[in-house]
Amino acid sequence: SSTALRVGTVWACVRVFSETLGSLPFKVYRRVENGKLEDPTHPLYRLIHDSPNPAMTAMEFWKLAAQRICTHGNFYARIVMDEREVVRSLRPLDPSRMRVIRDPITELLVYVYTPQGGPSVPYLADEVLHIPGLGYDGEDNLTGLDPIAIHAQSLGLTLDAEGYASRFFANNANHGTWLYNPQTMTEPKKREFLTWFMDNFGGVKNSGKPAILDNGLELRSLPINHQQMQFIETRKYQVEEICRIFRVPPHLVQDLARSTNNNIEHQAIDFVTHTIRPWAEMIEQRINMSLFGPREGSRYFAEFNLDSILRGDAVSRAE
């Protein structure tokens, strides 16, 4: 996932998704006859809305949750309770160090966590808040699918294209350059000469520096046509492809090629409706199932407030 985040579009998609979700107000409500009432007195309200643990704000915590869902397919947090079994904090766990298994005897889920430099620690399902991503991995449906692994080939194409561009410009925007020598050279002599030549005339730092060759040496290059290669088109298509993977409108990652003043506002609304809202509901349901339980769940529930970003377009608000 760290390699994929080096791709600018992946970084931008993960950032816009996680920051949008993390910035939403997340509150605890009590069910009443005519609807719901916000309940700041509930013990979980402070954890969900303000600070899930002493080291993180609510935005930092939920932003991290969204980021790890995007890059690993799962988010895990340790549920820390006091002696009265009241939840006191939620502490994130590295998904790359987590293994989820089902006990063959009890058929209960066990979360086996291996911290860096320490022994593995097993946690029961009621000790871990687990938010899986899209789909499930494996026959037992225990963990969410890793989107980076699923789309490794597509992301690899983007990395290859960026690597090619980097090497191309590092080589002074020349491709297929070779040296012709009518005389025979030994392999050690070739390596020695090539090292000398690249140190003195290769790379951007030596751009425009004239080379003086003797002993009949000639500098030749093979022509290359980036238009025929559709190099620029490939780079543009990969931006669209990555946006498609994360379901983020291209204009939110600064690709305005197909955006207009008429459609960009509706694209933003569509992003909230079809990207943020489903994930918000999934996190809400996991919170309600894991933290409230069946008894409290009949009276209380947690809910994101999407009203701040889902208010329709300017004309609809005016009307």
Side-chain angles (χ1 to χ4, degrees):
S1 62
S2 59
T3 301
L5 285 172
R6 298 206 317 254
V7 178
T9 308
V10 174
W11 176 277
C13 286
V14 172
R15 180 180 178 183
V16 72
F17 176 81
S18 59
E19 288 181 350
T20 302
L21 188 62
S23 65
L24 293 174
F26 200 10
K27 302 177 181 180
V28 173
Y29 295 91
R30 185 176 73 254
R31 290 184 173 86
V32 295
E33 184 177 355
N34 297 324
K36 63 182 181 181
L37 286 176
E38 183 180 343
D39 191 348
T41 64
H42 194 281
L44 287 176
Y45 186 96
R46 181 188 62 81
L47 291 179
I48 293 174
H49 182 266
D50 299 324
S51 178
N53 61 67
M56 303 179 75
T57 65
M59 180 173 181
E60 292 168 344
F61 184 87
W62 297 116
K63 184 174 67 172
L64 177 64
Q67 173 196 329
R68 287 184 169 172
I69 290 172
C70 286
T71 56
H72 292 83
N74 296 274
F75 173 71
Y76 304 97
R78 170 79 191 285
I79 302 174
V80 180
M81 297 186 180
D82 60 17
E83 62 279 358
R84 297 177 298 172
E85 295 189 352
V86 176
V87 180
R88 291 304 180 189
S89 67
L90 300 171
R91 300 180 182 273
L93 299 171
D94 186 349
S96 65
R97 299 182 177 275
M98 182 69 77
R99 184 167 58 94
V100 185
I101 60 176
R102 188 180 298 276
D103 189 288
I105 299 176
T106 64
E107 295 189 353
L108 297 176
L109 292 183
V110 179
Y111 292 82
V112 182
Y113 186 69
T114 306
Q116 186 175 6
S120 298
V121 181
Y123 296 114
L124 297 178
D126 59 359
E127 296 178 292
V128 175
L129 171 64
H130 176 200
I131 303 174
L134 178 67
Y136 281 99
D137 189 15
E139 296 180 359
D140 211 10
N141 297 337
L142 301 181
T143 58
L145 293 168
D146 183 345
I148 301 300
I150 292 292
H151 299 283
Q153 187 172 3
S154 179
L155 296 175
L157 176 60
T158 304
L159 286 169
D160 290 342
E162 291 189 352
Y164 170 84
S166 176
R167 291 188 297 271
F168 179 75
F169 287 105
N171 195 35
N172 197 21
N174 289 320
H175 186 78
T177 300
W178 54 289
L179 291 163
Y180 170 74
N181 187 357
Q183 303 176 12
T184 301
M185 298 177 66
T186 63
E187 287 299 324
K189 194 66 176 178
K190 290 178 182 178
R191 290 193 293 269
E192 179 184 350
F193 175 77
L194 185 59
T195 301
W196 170 83
F197 183 84
M198 292 302 298
D199 288 344
N200 288 275
F201 306 107
V204 178
K205 67 180 185 296
N206 293 315
S207 176
K209 185 177 179 181
I212 301 176
L213 304 176
D214 53 15
N215 296 325
L217 284 169
E218 296 180 23
L219 185 64
R220 300 179 179 181
S221 61
L222 298 175
I224 183 170
N225 191 326
H226 280 133
Q227 184 175 1
Q228 292 180 356
M229 288 175 59
Q230 294 187 320
F231 179 70
I232 301 298
E233 288 77 4
T234 299
R235 296 293 300 268
K236 290 181 178 179
Y237 172 78
Q238 285 308 111
V239 171
E240 296 179 7
E241 182 74 356
I242 294 171
C243 288
R244 190 177 297 116
I245 292 171
F246 292 101
R247 206 169 187 176
V248 172
H251 79 273
L252 290 178
V253 297
Q254 306 307 308
D255 181 3
L256 303 176
R258 299 184 180 180
S259 297
T260 67
N261 291 332
N262 294 329
N263 69 14
I264 197 167
E265 191 172 28
H266 287 280
Q267 288 184 57
I269 295 173
D270 183 76
F271 171 64
V272 177
T273 304
H274 296 105
T275 303
I276 296 300
R277 183 180 57 81
W279 286 107
E281 290 187 2
M282 184 186 66
I283 294 174
E284 292 166 359
Q285 292 180 10
R286 280 282 172 170
I287 288 289
N288 296 334
M289 181 179 70
S290 300
L291 300 187
F292 288 101
R295 187 177 63 179
E296 272 204 314
S298 62
R299 294 183 296 151
Y300 296 94
F301 64 95
E303 187 177 75
F304 284 103
N305 182 3
L306 275 69
D307 290 344
S308 58
I309 57 174
L310 187 60
R311 295 175 176 171
D313 56 66
V315 176
S316 299
R317 289 199 302 270
E319 292 177 349

